[in-house]
């Protein structure tokens, strides 16, 4: 099965020597879990779009430093592409920016949150079953965002929520799956981001709290990536 990765962002320049791009993180980790998956990467930030939604069997949209509520031409084109994928009943996965842009494209609202930055390891309440974490009522994985969905599309159901982020995970049947957090991020990579943005976009207090959660909390990223692989394969 061929999965198209719509790369909406890229690893910061200073980290590229030691870490793959966001699209490559998914391709590598998902291939390790499910070898039948094949990937093609499209850099949609540079207006590199597939000719048709039928170019791949399913789609995944990565995170990005861009705002999903902006009206840049490539963002509006991506919204239209998402609606076409949905109309064609293809599988679609969204991560962080991808989670937000899917919500926007399908009728939701995204904005910069008054709660500020969500960074480090975040805990979420599970409101419906996660196949790779049967019986789980609370899970944790890395987050790095300031924007949030504040009004959800009617067709999407919430499966993850928290006091910080009400709409942290969406699902629609066996076709759409989205996460506000980053199941592809290791704690090592999250730590690198915190150090990079401490004093830049993150206040020292936010950065220090993030460091503490990264050091002390366990994450279930491998189980969530396994679920994404299951979701994408036929």
């Amino acid at each position: 099965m061929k999965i198209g990765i719509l790369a909406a962002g890229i690893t910061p320049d200073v980290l590229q020597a030691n870490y793959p791009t966001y699209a490559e993180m998914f391709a590598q980790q998902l291939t390790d879990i499910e070898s039948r998956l094949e990937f093609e990467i499209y850099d949609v930030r540079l207006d590199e779009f597939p000719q048709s939604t039928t170019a791949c069997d399913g789609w995944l949209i990565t995170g990005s430093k861009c705002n999903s509520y902006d009206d840049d031409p490539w963002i509006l084109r991506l919204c239209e592409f998402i609606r076409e994928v949905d109309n064609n009943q293809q599988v679609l996965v969204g991560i962080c920016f991808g989670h937000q842009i899917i919500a926007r494209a399908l009728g939701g609202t995204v904005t910069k949150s008054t709660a500020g930055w969500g960074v480090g390891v975040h805990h979420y309440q599970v409101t419906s079953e996660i196949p790779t974490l049967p019986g789980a009522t609370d899970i944790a994985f890395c987050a790095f965002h300031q924007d949030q969905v504040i009004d959800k599309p009617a067709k999407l159901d919430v499966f993850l929520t928290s006091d910080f982020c009400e709409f942290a995970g969406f699902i629609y049947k066996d076709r759409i799956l989205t996460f506000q957090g980053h199941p592809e991020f290791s704690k090592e990579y999250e730590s690198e981001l915190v150090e990079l943005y401490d004093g830049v976009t993150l206040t020292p207090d936010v950065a220090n709290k993030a460091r503490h959660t990264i050091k002390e909390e366990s994450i279930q990223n491998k189980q969530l990536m396994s679920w994404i692989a299951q979701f994408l394969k036929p």
Side-chain angles (χ1 to χ4, degrees), residues 103-169:
R104 175 188 178 180
L106 299 182
T109 304
V110 186
T111 190
K112 193 175 299 297
S113 174
T114 56
W117 281 94
V119 187
V121 174
H122 277 225
H123 281 260
Y124 303 95
Q125 289 75 58
V126 180
T127 60
S128 62
E129 186 79 1
I130 295 177
T132 53
L133 288 163
T137 58
D138 178 278
I139 64 169
F141 57 110
C142 294
F144 209 103
H145 68 99
Q146 187 177 17
D147 297 341
Q148 291 193 32
V149 178
I150 58 170
D151 291 309
K152 79 174 190 67
K155 75 183 301 176
L156 299 183
D157 295 321
V158 179
F159 74 91
L160 290 180
T161 187
S162 73
D163 291 339
F164 180 80
C165 183
E166 180 181 5
F167 302 124

Side-chain angles (χ1 to χ4, degrees), residues 3-234:
I3 304 301
I5 299 181
L6 305 175
I10 194 168
T11 310
D13 291 346
V14 297
L15 300 181
Q16 289 181 22
N18 296 318
Y19 296 94
T21 67
Y22 298 141
E24 291 167 346
M25 285 184 189
F26 278 106
Q28 292 173 10
Q29 293 180 46
L30 292 173
T31 300
D32 287 344
I33 297 167
E34 179 49 70
S35 60
R36 290 181 294 172
L37 294 176
E38 299 178 0
F39 297 91
E40 184 162 350
I41 297 171
Y42 302 87
D43 194 337
V44 292
R45 302 170 308 144
L46 304 181
D47 210 35
E48 295 177 3
F49 280 81
Q51 292 185 348
S52 167
T53 64
T54 59
C56 294
D57 301 300
W59 300 94
L60 185 150
I61 305 173
T62 72
S64 175
K65 67 179 182 180
C66 298
N67 299 320
S68 61
Y69 43 79
D70 285 345
D71 290 332
D72 296 349
W74 72 269
I75 292 178
L76 296 179
R77 186 176 179 185
L78 182 57
C79 286
E80 182 58 34
F81 190 86
I82 290 165
R83 288 188 283 269
E84 291 178 12
V85 169
D86 182 44
N87 289 337
N88 291 339
Q89 299 186 12
Q90 292 177 283
V91 175
L92 178 62
V93 174
I95 307 297
C96 199
F97 172 93
H99 163 86
Q100 296 165 8
I101 198 73
I102 290 170
R104 175 188 178 180
L106 299 182
T109 304
V110 186
T111 190
K112 193 175 299 297
S113 174
T114 56
W117 281 94
V119 187
V121 174
H122 277 225
H123 281 260
Y124 303 95
Q125 289 75 58
V126 180
T127 60
S128 62
E129 186 79 1
I130 295 177
T132 53
L133 288 163
T137 58
D138 178 278
I139 64 169
F141 57 110
C142 294
F144 209 103
H145 68 99
Q146 187 177 17
D147 297 341
Q148 291 193 32
V149 178
I150 58 170
D151 291 309
K152 79 174 190 67
K155 75 183 301 176
L156 299 183
D157 295 321
V158 179
F159 74 91
L160 290 180
T161 187
S162 73
D163 291 339
F164 180 80
C165 183
E166 180 181 5
F167 302 124
F170 291 134
I171 192 166
Y172 175 67
K173 297 183 177 179
D174 59 352
R175 292 203 290 107
I176 300 174
L177 177 65
T178 72
F179 299 84
Q180 177 56 77
H182 287 275
E184 80 280 20
F185 282 7
S186 66
K187 292 205 290 184
E188 291 77 14
Y189 182 72
E190 182 82 1
S191 294
E192 295 271 18
L193 288 181
V194 171
E195 296 308 316
L196 182 62
Y197 292 109
D198 183 7
V200 182
T201 55
L202 304 178
T203 65
D205 182 56
V206 168
N208 285 333
K209 289 179 180 177
R211 290 187 187 98
H212 177 77
T213 63
I214 294 167
K215 179 181 178 181
E216 300 296 332
E217 303 288 345
S218 298
I219 59 175
Q220 285 77 54
N221 59 323
K222 292 181 180 179
Q223 293 93 329
L224 295 178
M225 289 298 289
S226 293
W227 185 25
I228 292 172
Q230 290 181 17
F231 203 84
L232 290 170
K233 74 180 183 181

